[in-house]
Amino acid sequence: MPELPEVEALAAFLRERLVDRVVSRVEVAAINVLKTFDPPPTSLAGLMVAGVTRHGKWIDIDVDGLHLVVHLSRAGWLRYSDALPAAPLRPGGKNPVALRVRLAPQDDEAEDRPPGFDLTEAGTQKRLAVHVVRDPLQVPGIASLGPDPLAPGFDLPAFAKLLAGSRQQVKGLLREQSVLAGVGNAYSDEVLHAARLSPYAAAGKLSDTEVETLYTALQTTLHEAIAAAGGKAASQLKDAKRAGMRVHGRTGLPCPVCGDTVREVSFADRSMQYCATCQTGGKVLADRRMSRLLK
């Protein structure tokens, strides 16, 4: 799933290509991706893109006061093209393209193959979400977001306040969008590894020193990931994310810090990775799913 650094990079990528361009047509192939009906996607036609911003993991395309708001979820992605196919997008079938936005052609751009982008989704779990709203806060997932960790006012005291008194495990708290916007499963693994903290540590019981270390790791990890993604085309961001990971998605490989084997704990629909030497004092965390398989 794209998280804060990738969505930030996607927003910057789109900003360069969409702002001050007119939307000529929006084509929908998978009606289930639309989570709103008024205003309809067709209302964006003929309007000019005024800006592209990010809210947590959400992309917000401001089209002259109407907002096309997208959450890519686990298997969704955005593909930009300088020349989209001339044939209109057709509903149904096995085409992974769920929605297409065509821009009005300019200068030497072909009228039948204008630039624009597709929203695609692979797999069987269809969670890609598209909203067309007059105010981004009309999207429940945005209205309920916690503070953005990269916001100017999000300092160490603000972070400490989020943790204070919490009974949650720190891994769960970091990826809880109503507590902290934009961090998901991958970057919470990376932040905890950088902070040398167990994912199972109780957030509200961390010492002042541990809270400060975790805050520094959060800021450093996200800023480094954004810098690594900056300037890359949308098609390159997934590979850039994987290449930058130190523990997440690296089960069985050596930890880049200590050389110990990166370990995994599996859940129903996700997994987390950690280094026992760096994070848990050598203790291997129980993996209940694997334990059941071995019985």
Side-chain angles (χ1 to χ4, degrees):
M1 177 186 294
E3 298 178 29
L4 188 156
E6 294 77 47
V7 178
E8 183 74 23
L10 278 173
F13 176 84
L14 290 174
R15 198 175 299 124
E16 292 180 359
R17 290 158 178 80
L18 301 187
V19 171
D20 295 333
R21 295 291 302 259
V22 174
V23 174
S24 67
R25 192 160 77 245
V26 178
E27 301 169 6
V28 180
I31 194 68
N32 61 290
V33 305
L34 293 177
K35 308 306 177 184
T36 55
F37 62 90
D38 181 27
T42 53
S43 62
L44 301 175
L47 302 181
M48 181 179 290
V49 177
V52 183
T53 55
R54 175 186 62 80
H55 310 281
K57 301 178 189 178
W58 296 80
I59 299 171
D60 174 7
I61 303 173
D62 180 351
V63 189
D64 197 20
L66 295 181
H67 295 260
L68 179 67
V69 182
V70 177
H71 193 289
L72 295 170
S73 193
R74 178 166 295 183
W77 198 244
L78 185 148
R79 297 177 182 174
Y80 183 87
S81 174
D82 290 320
L84 289 169
L89 197 57
R90 297 187 180 280
K94 297 182 178 180
N95 190 340
V97 180
L99 183 142
R100 174 170 291 162
V101 175
R102 296 179 185 268
L103 301 177
Q106 293 180 341
D107 302 329
D108 58 349
E109 295 169 351
E111 290 207 11
D112 62 336
R113 300 196 64 193
F117 64 87
D118 290 336
L119 295 176
T120 67
E121 186 168 30
T124 57
Q125 294 185 355
K126 302 301 182 182
R127 298 178 181 175
L128 174 67
V130 178
H131 300 247
V132 181
V133 292
R134 295 176 177 86
D135 183 341
L137 290 177
Q138 291 177 303
V139 179
I142 292 179
S144 63
L145 286 176
D148 192 296
L150 300 186
F154 189 75
D155 54 12
L156 177 58
F159 182 62
K161 187 176 180 180
L162 291 182
L163 303 182
S166 174
R167 296 183 180 180
Q168 272 189 285
Q169 294 173 343
V170 66
K171 163 77 175 179
L173 183 143
L174 288 176
R175 60 190 298 271
E176 179 64 53
Q177 296 304 293
S178 62
V179 175
L180 195 66
V183 177
N185 195 40
Y187 285 103
S188 57
D189 282 352
E190 295 297 295
V191 168
L192 289 168
H193 178 259
R196 303 179 73 89
L197 284 174
S198 168
Y200 288 170
K205 294 184 178 181
L206 298 179
S207 68
D208 291 346
T209 299
E210 289 173 328
V211 171
E212 184 174 0
T213 300
L214 182 59
Y215 175 78
T216 300
L218 174 67
Q219 294 294 315
T220 301
T221 300
L222 293 179
H223 280 291
E224 287 180 351
I226 288 173
K232 288 185 171 59
S235 59
Q236 299 173 320
L237 289 174
K238 288 183 180 180
D239 289 339
K241 178 181 180 179
R242 282 191 288 266
M245 294 288 144
R246 293 181 297 181
V247 290
H248 184 78
R250 292 176 54 84
T251 303
L253 297 175
C255 168
V257 174
C258 71
D260 191 8
T261 301
V262 173
R263 303 176 188 274
E264 176 176 299
V265 176
S266 299
F267 301 94
D269 61 347
R270 61 182 173 86
S271 63
M272 70 178 184
Q273 286 77 40
Y274 69 99
C275 171
T277 296
C278 290
Q279 296 176 250
T280 62
K283 179 182 178 181
V284 177
L285 302 177
D287 185 344
R288 294 181 179 86
R289 188 169 75 171
M290 291 303 298
S291 298
R292 287 199 300 269
L293 291 175
L294 294 173
K295 286 183 179 179

